[in-house]
């Protein structure tokens, strides 16, 4: 019996029967099975990827909580600062940032570098000593004195180079008066008639510091004779001869002068005469 006759005979018995020839299409059951495997594979990959991402997120959260709880700064040492208070230095380093009080963050922020561009400060180094302790070392610019000019305090170094100008006066830095100049340029030397005077100023301030004394003012007259002012008490040192000896002797005299108004004349003081006199106002 031919295929066509066989097919007609079968269809006559079952009109709803559909004949699928080889190569025409795949059975529906096989298509459904393949699609199911593909969907299952995609779902499995999504689950694995989600688990990995969740694990990473959980690890990051745990690390964040650990760092926040264990690296909070509770002790800060500040050294080397004169112009700024400890609180001001700490504020510059820590600031208002969210992680400013975290020692790990600070160690990363200031690793191999200091803090620059702060008036009166050469640089500041931040060292993390322990998880909760940091040390701030301040290196201030070397200031020999300041002059008042146009309502501002003009600070200069040992060579008379203008270091900073400010509206605020720094304690412990003497005011130098009597010098004549007509302009001020930052990072340049004060244009005085006798630039050698800056070496005298440095010598005086170093000697005073050596014996733990601090003058309020250093006055030079027209002949560059020097007078130190301690409150209302004035100490006439004269020229730069025997300055070291005069200041060494002054350390024993000064306690009796504080609170008094008058002039201590040490202009004739020398290794031989050692004479001086005090005239009260």
């Amino acid at each position: 019996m031919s295929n066509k006759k066989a097919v007609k005979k079968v269809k006559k018995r079952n009109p709803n029967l559909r004949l699928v020839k080889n190569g025409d299409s795949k059975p529906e059951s096989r298509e459904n099975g393949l699609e199911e495997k593909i969907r299952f594979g995609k779902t499995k990959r999504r689950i694995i990827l989600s688990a990995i991402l969740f694990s990473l997120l959980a690890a990051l959260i745990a690390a964040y909580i650990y760092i926040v709880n264990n690296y909070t700064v509770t002790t800060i040492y500040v050294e080397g600062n004169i112009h700024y208070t400890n609180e001001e230095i700490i504020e510059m380093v820590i600031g208002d940032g969210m992680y400013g009080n975290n020692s790990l963050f600070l160690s990363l922020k200031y690793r191999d570098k200091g803090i620059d561009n702060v008036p009166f400060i050469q640089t500041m180094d931040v060292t993390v000593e322990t998880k909760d302790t940091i040390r701030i070392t301040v290196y201030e610019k070397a200031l020999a004195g300041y002059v008042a000019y146009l309502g501002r305090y003009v600070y200069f170094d040992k060579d008379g180079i203008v270091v900073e100008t400010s509206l605020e006066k720094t304690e412990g830095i003497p005011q130098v008066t009597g010098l004549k100049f007509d302009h001020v340029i930052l990072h340049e030397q004060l244009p005085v008639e006798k630039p050698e005077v800056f070496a005298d100023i440095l010598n005086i301030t170093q000697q005073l510091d050596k014996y733990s004394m601090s003058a309020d003012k250093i006055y030079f007259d027209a002949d560059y004779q020097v007078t130190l002012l301690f409150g209302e008490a004035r100490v006439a040192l004269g020229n730069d001869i025997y300055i070291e000896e005069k200041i060494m002797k002054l350390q024993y005299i000064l306690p009796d002068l504080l609170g008094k108004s008058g002039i201590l004349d040490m202009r004739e003081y020398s290794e031989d005469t050692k004479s001086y006199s005090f005239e009260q106002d």
Side-chain angles (χ1 to χ4, degrees):
M1 182 183 296
S2 66
N3 289 337
K4 290 184 178 181
K5 291 181 178 181
V7 171
K8 288 181 179 179
K9 187 176 181 179
V10 173
K11 281 192 171 184
K12 188 175 181 181
R13 290 198 300 266
N14 187 359
N16 296 323
L17 180 66
R18 184 175 67 89
L19 178 64
V20 179
K21 297 181 180 180
N22 289 336
D24 288 348
S25 61
K26 295 181 180 179
E28 187 175 345
S29 59
R30 292 179 61 187
E31 291 180 354
N32 292 340
L34 182 58
E35 291 177 358
E36 185 67 25
K37 287 181 180 181
I38 293 173
R39 285 196 297 270
F40 177 76
K42 290 182 178 179
T43 303
K44 184 177 181 181
R45 284 195 296 271
R46 290 195 190 98
I47 293 173
I48 294 174
L49 182 60
S50 299
I52 293 173
L53 292 176
F54 179 79
S55 299
L56 289 174
L57 181 61
L60 289 174
I61 294 174
Y64 172 81
I65 295 173
Y66 176 80
I67 290 172
V68 169
N69 291 336
N70 291 275
Y71 287 85
T72 300
V73 176
T74 58
T75 303
I76 301 176
Y77 297 103
V78 181
E79 58 188 18
N81 54 309
I82 297 175
H83 185 84
Y84 297 100
T85 65
N86 289 351
E87 291 75 17
E88 288 173 326
I89 294 295
I90 292 171
E91 178 64 21
M92 292 177 196
V93 173
I94 293 180
D96 298 325
M98 180 177 180
Y99 305 108
N101 63 342
N102 185 274
S103 61
L104 184 59
F105 171 80
L106 292 173
S107 67
L108 295 175
K109 182 178 180 180
Y110 297 115
R111 176 176 292 177
D112 300 326
K113 68 177 182 179
I115 302 174
D116 303 319
N117 301 320
V118 178
F120 298 101
I121 292 179
Q122 196 71 34
T123 187
M124 288 191 293
D125 290 337
V126 180
T127 304
V128 178
E129 300 195 338
T130 63
K131 293 188 297 184
D132 60 356
T133 303
I134 66 172
R135 182 178 298 274
I136 305 172
T137 305
V138 181
Y139 300 94
E140 294 198 351
K141 294 176 180 178
L143 304 177
Y146 74 89
V147 294
Y149 184 71
L150 299 179
R152 299 182 69 89
Y153 301 107
V154 179
Y155 294 87
F156 57 88
D157 65 9
K158 61 183 180 61
D159 299 314
I161 305 298
V162 178
V163 175
E164 297 287 349
T165 65
S166 175
L167 294 174
E168 298 181 1
K169 184 169 67 173
T170 299
E171 297 299 328
I173 306 297
Q175 180 181 6
V176 179
T177 60
L179 300 181
K180 305 298 182 183
F181 53 90
D182 56 7
H183 67 275
V184 169
I185 300 177
L186 191 63
H187 306 312
E188 291 189 11
Q189 190 180 64
L190 281 173
V192 298
E193 295 179 354
K194 183 183 176 182
E196 295 81 6
V197 71
F198 297 116
D200 295 335
I201 295 172
L202 177 64
N203 185 33
I204 291 170
T205 55
Q206 287 179 336
Q207 293 299 319
L208 289 172
D209 185 65
K210 179 179 179 180
Y211 299 108
S212 301
M213 294 183 289
S214 179
D216 297 319
K217 293 182 180 180
I218 301 175
Y219 168 71
F220 289 91
D221 66 14
D223 298 321
Y224 289 93
Q225 301 283 305
V226 62
T227 298
L228 305 181
L229 284 78
F230 299 87
E232 297 297 321
R234 307 179 300 281
V235 180
L237 298 179
N239 55 36
D240 58 356
I241 300 176
Y242 297 116
I243 283 289
E244 291 84 355
E245 290 80 0
K246 293 174 183 178
I247 294 179
M248 181 178 64
K249 181 63 178 179
L250 180 60
Q251 68 174 317
Y252 303 109
I253 305 172
L254 186 60
D256 294 331
L257 298 181
L258 297 180
K260 297 180 181 179
S261 177
I263 183 167
L264 176 68
D265 191 347
M266 301 186 74
R267 289 176 294 179
E268 301 300 323
Y269 186 92
S270 68
E271 290 183 348
D272 298 328
T273 61
K274 301 185 186 307
S275 63
Y276 58 88
S277 61
F278 178 72
E279 182 178 345
Q280 192 163 351
D281 294 338

